[in-house]
Structures are given as structure tokens and as C-alpha cells.
Amino acid sequence: MVRRSTVDRSPQPDLYSAGYDPGTESQPAGTGKRPRSGYGWRGAGGRWLVWTFRVVVWAVLLIIGYRGVMAIVLNETPPSTTPPAPAASTPAFPVQEASAYALQFGQVYLNFSPATAGQRAHDLAPFLPPGTPDQQLGWNGGGSLALQSEEVAGVRVQDAQHAVVTLLARVNGNMMELGVPVYAASGGLGISGEPAWLPAPKPAVQPAPAAVNTDDAAQSELMGQLPEFFRAYASGDQSTLGRFLAPGTTVTGLGGSVVFGSVTGVTTPAGGDVRHIVATVVWKVPGQPAKATQTGTTAANLEMTYALTIVRQHGTWYVQSIAPSSQTSGQP
């Protein structure tokens, strides 16, 4: 018995080529929806993205080209990204060390006498270059010089290795200046030549003070009040000092190093409740022998001038501060 094949081999319509979509088979007729292709829709939207990208690329290329042409025309040089090499640091001249060195040298150089010539040459040797023929550095061996005091007055730096240190000194009772040439190298110091004797600073004459409008009433009041203040200031008596001080003011006092003598003058300019006055005080120096005179003996006294700030509260003057004065009593 021969079985007949059940496979339908008759020609079938090409459903997919006709736009058949199985997903739309169950949709009722007349819905108006177009059958979708099985491969999806690839419309013109993708081409717009491509053209937009091309426009951006061309704009960037045009900008880069324009900048390059302008750089060539204007001869512009692009900034260097390499940081500049640090400048070589030049060591500065050692001013402080050279000042101390010159002071030590001055102690030896400004003291000489025939009796100590050998010791002076020995003490000068560390300051001078080895083999220096003049071991006395200019002194001929006669006479004598004695140094009483010296200070550094200034340093004139010439370069990293050379400077002149000026000493203000008192020798044989007279003031003078000494210019000391100092050489610095490799962490060492030396005297590079003979020093120079220079004149002492000339006196400065202060101009005459301008007239001041004084407050006679306040001045009279203070002349009666300040002696007790300065007496307490000399002894350092805090309980008594507190009676004369403005609130919040602290004054230590001199702790008995001097004894109050008198107030010889007070300059009180006119003004408000805060005044800046100048007071001249005589101190007695304790423990000093009195000077014999025809009329008796005179103790050691020192007249000094103070600048005070005073404030008026409740009709009474109080001291707010006390300091050295750059003026004398009777000046503004």
C-alpha cells in the first residue's frame, strides 16, 4: 500500500516579500495600519546625524587652519610648556657675621702700646692673610691708643664677597669712626686691607621749638600732683602709684634704684580731657659719695625728662602712660 504525501507542494505566495508581518495577522481589517517589514525602518533620520557630524568636523578644521595661518602671518610663538630653569642663587654677603667679626678686630686694632706690641701682632694674625709682611697693620710701634667702647654703625655691602663695616668707637676719650674692609669667601672671613679712620658723626642742632599754648591752670594743678606720683614711681610702691593711674593702666616703677628729688618743670598744652605733657624730674642717686663744697656737701643728682599722657576724669588728672621724652620741658 502506497501512502500519499500530505505535504502541500503547490506554489505558495511570497508573504514576506509582500510586506507580510505575522504580528499584524490578527489585526482586524480596516484599521489603517501599514504592515511593518521584518527588518525595521531605517529612514532619513540617520543621514541627518551624519551631516551634522560632518559640519562640526569641518568647522573645527576651518578654525584650526585659520589660527595656523594667523600665527604664521603675525609671527606668533606658541607659549612654552617647559618651566624656566631656576636662576642660580648668589650667596649674599654675611652682614651679621661680618659685623661681629669687625668688632672683634677693632678690639685688637684700636689698642696698642710699645709694651704690648708683640701681643698685638699675635692677636692680629688670625684676621690677616697668611704671610702678611706688616704684622702690626700700619702701626709703627710708637705711642699708644686705648679703646674705651665700640659699636657697629653700619655695613656697606659692595658685592657677595666685599663690604666695609663702620665702627663707632671712643678711643683715648674721643669719638671716631673706623671703616673696616671685610672679605667673605667659602664660609670664612678676613680683613682685606688697612682700615680707615673716619670722622665722628657731626652734632645735629635741633630747630627752636614752636610756641605752645599752655594751660596755666592745669600746669599749676599738675605741679602739685606729680611730685607724689614720681616719688611712688621711684620706689615702685604699687599701692601709692595706683592712686594716680587711670583705670586699666599699669606702671612698674623703678624699684628704689633712684630717690625722688623734685619736679622742676611741667609743660602742659591746652586741650581736652586727654593731654600729652612733658615733666622734668631730678633723681638722687643712692650710694654715691656727696661732693664737698664750700657750703657743705652735694649729693649725686640726675635731671631727666619724661613724656606723660594724662586724662581728666571726675575733675582729677590721672596718668595713662609714662615714657622717655624726645623734648625738654618748656618745648611743645
Side-chain angles (χ1 to χ4, degrees), residues 163-178:
V164 175
V165 180
T166 302
L167 303 178
L168 179 63
R170 180 172 293 276
V171 293
N172 288 3
N174 299 314
M175 189 180 297
M176 53 86 70
E177 288 188 356
L178 185 71

Side-chain angles (χ1 to χ4, degrees), residues 95-123:
V95 173
Q96 186 173 359
E97 188 177 4
S99 299
Y101 187 81
L103 281 171
Q104 294 295 317
F105 168 78
Q107 288 282 346
V108 180
Y109 181 81
L110 293 175
N111 282 296
F112 57 73
S113 69
T116 59
Q119 184 63 45
R120 183 177 187 271
H122 176 270
D123 294 340

Side-chain angles (χ1 to χ4, degrees), residues 213-238:
N213 185 19
T214 60
D215 185 342
D216 295 335
Q219 185 168 309
S220 176
E221 183 179 353
L222 290 168
M223 282 295 292
Q225 182 178 344
L226 287 178
E228 288 303 315
F229 166 76
F230 279 108
R231 194 185 308 275
Y233 181 68
S235 65
D237 182 1
Q238 291 297 313

Side-chain angles (χ1 to χ4, degrees), residues 128-266:
L128 306 179
T132 300
D134 184 4
Q135 297 182 350
Q136 294 293 346
L137 199 59
W139 178 49
N140 66 353
S144 62
L145 197 68
L147 172 67
Q148 281 85 47
S149 63
E150 64 172 354
E151 298 288 344
V152 175
V155 179
R156 180 169 55 87
V157 177
Q158 299 172 346
D159 53 43
Q161 294 181 310
H162 299 86
V164 175
V165 180
T166 302
L167 303 178
L168 179 63
R170 180 172 293 276
V171 293
N172 288 3
N174 299 314
M175 189 180 297
M176 53 86 70
E177 288 188 356
L178 185 71
V180 181
V182 181
Y183 176 76
S186 304
L189 294 171
I191 304 301
S192 59
E194 294 181 346
W197 192 300
L198 303 172
K202 63 181 182 179
V205 180
Q206 185 175 352
V212 57
N213 185 19
T214 60
D215 185 342
D216 295 335
Q219 185 168 309
S220 176
E221 183 179 353
L222 290 168
M223 282 295 292
Q225 182 178 344
L226 287 178
E228 288 303 315
F229 166 76
F230 279 108
R231 194 185 308 275
Y233 181 68
S235 65
D237 182 1
Q238 291 297 313
S239 61
T240 304
L241 269 175
R243 301 194 341 243
F244 299 95
L245 300 179
T249 301
T250 302
V251 173
T252 302
L254 303 179
S257 56
V258 293
V259 177
F260 173 73
S262 62
V263 175
T264 60
V266 178

Side-chain angles (χ1 to χ4, degrees), residues 12-25 35-39:
Q12 301 290 330
D14 191 352
L15 299 177
Y16 293 98
S17 63
Y20 173 77
D21 186 352
T24 63
E25 183 178 0
R36 294 180 300 174
S37 170
Y39 294 98

